[in-house]
């Protein structure tokens, strides 16, 4: 059953109506991931820019922030 957490709905692929990827799609996705890693690794650490945590942390400054901290402990 779908579960709502912090305003987001989490479902299994079946609940969301998403068909499984076929082997060709999986191979293509893995190829793209490998290409992205190759490009990333071509830069020195000083050339890389770190993404701000505000782009990956949806719970900061919300009512769910305390629950997140408790799960991390």
């Amino acid at each position: 059953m779908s579960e709502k957490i912090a305003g987001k709905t989490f479902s299994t692929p079946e609940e969301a109506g998403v068909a499984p990827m076929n082997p060709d799609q999986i191979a293509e996705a893995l190829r793209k991931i490998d290409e992205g890693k190759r490009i990333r690794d071509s830069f020195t650490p000083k050339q890389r820019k770190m993404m701000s945590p505000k782009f990956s942390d949806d719970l900061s400054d919300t009512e769910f922030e305390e629950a997140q901290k408790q799960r991390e402990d």
Side-chain angles (χ1 to χ4, degrees):
M1 176 168 208
S2 296
E3 184 177 357
K4 285 192 174 254
I5 301 171
K8 296 180 177 20
T9 303
F10 296 88
S11 306
T12 64
E14 295 81 18
E15 290 172 327
V18 177
M21 294 171 67
N22 67 46
D24 291 337
Q25 291 171 315
I26 293 170
E28 177 65 11
L30 291 173
R31 187 193 64 73
K32 289 179 180 181
I33 290 169
D34 289 342
E35 176 67 9
K37 287 179 180 178
R38 186 192 64 73
I39 292 169
R40 178 200 63 203
D41 293 344
S42 70
F43 291 91
T44 65
K46 283 190 170 192
Q47 291 174 314
R48 296 179 193 169
K49 294 193 186 250
M50 297 304 293
M51 189 168 68
S52 168
K54 74 177 183 177
F55 293 110
S56 60
D57 183 3
D58 293 341
L59 301 182
S60 288
D61 299 326
T62 69
E63 67 270 26
F64 300 100
E65 183 174 34
E66 190 58 38
Q68 179 188 25
K69 288 179 184 175
Q70 290 173 356
R71 282 194 304 273
E72 291 172 354
D73 292 337

